[in-house]
Amino acid sequence: ADPNRGGLAQSISGGRILPPEGGLPRLGQLVRRGQVLAIVEPPIPVADQTTIAERSGDLEQQIATAEARLVRARNLAATGAGTRVQVVDTEIELEGLRRRRAALAQNRIAPETIRAPADGVIASARAVAGQVVAAQDVLFQVVDPAGLWVEALVFGADAAQGLGEATAAIRGGAPMRLTLQGFGRAVQQGATLVQFQVEDPPA
């Protein structure tokens, strides 16, 4: 595959695979760059779950206390025994506590979204619903069928340097013109790896 016209879809954190709306893509399916291919629900270790539960309980207690103080401050302000400043200060404190609670809940459930790295078709799919994957696992490979390359072995230490064009043939098909894209400098067992681009690829 042309490295500029395709790519891999991998998980950064790992976790459990969840299908997106519309389901997981199938082999050969056409996808667009940025399209959601899968959702990965990250695991939460038991120790972190305990810490989150403790923090959540502490925040709930602080919110309940702040709400009670706000009610008292409003009653005092209505009778003239308190000031509007006390009410505003308590409202600001309560709002901050509620934002912290919302952020804590979001951290617990925020999934990782796996998106298509480029326009193309699904060439390989290694994800099923409920599967547990590790970080950096390749879940999907996307390739552009109109952007395929040809790799060949050229024998001789300097033989690749004289190449400019080549042809490739598929059984039963017409020869395809190839344009040199580059070659490796390392010679392995007398051969050099060379890459060509297919010019005007057939259907």
Side-chain angles (χ1 to χ4, degrees), residues 55-56 58-60 62-63 93-107:
R55 290 176 58 191
S56 179
D58 185 52
L59 280 174
E60 292 293 346
Q62 293 182 45
I63 289 173
E93 180 186 356
L94 182 59
E95 182 62 27
L97 291 170
R98 286 172 175 167
R99 283 199 300 268
R100 288 173 57 191
R101 180 177 62 183
L104 181 63
Q106 181 65 24
N107 287 336

Side-chain angles (χ1 to χ4, degrees), residues 145-159:
L148 296 179
W149 284 9
V150 172
E151 284 188 347
L153 293 177
V154 176
F155 290 89
D158 300 324

Side-chain angles (χ1 to χ4, degrees), residues 44-58 104 108:
I44 302 178
V46 176
D48 291 344
Q49 292 179 12
T50 302
T51 301
I52 290 173
E54 291 175 353
R55 290 176 58 191
S56 179
D58 185 52
L104 181 63
R108 293 175 61 185

Side-chain angles (χ1 to χ4, degrees), residues 48-120:
D48 291 344
Q49 292 179 12
T50 302
T51 301
I52 290 173
E54 291 175 353
R55 290 176 58 191
S56 179
D58 185 52
L59 280 174
E60 292 293 346
Q61 184 177 3
Q62 293 182 45
I63 289 173
T65 302
E67 287 174 343
R69 287 207 319 271
L70 180 59
V71 171
R72 289 195 300 270
R74 285 174 176 171
N75 290 337
L76 291 174
T79 60
T83 64
R84 179 63 183 167
V85 174
Q86 292 175 321
V87 175
V88 173
D89 289 345
T90 308
E91 289 176 343
I92 293 174
E93 180 186 356
L94 182 59
E95 182 62 27
L97 291 170
R98 286 172 175 167
R99 283 199 300 268
R100 288 173 57 191
R101 180 177 62 183
L104 181 63
Q106 181 65 24
N107 287 336
R108 293 175 61 185
I109 63 174
E112 178 188 1
T113 302
I114 307 299
R115 299 183 181 274
D119 295 344

Side-chain angles (χ1 to χ4, degrees), residues 3 11 41 45 59 63 118 129 157 161 173 176 178 188 190 193:
S11 173
E41 184 181 50
L59 280 174
I63 289 173
Q161 298 183 18
M176 298 177 292
L178 306 178
Q188 298 180 359
L193 183 65

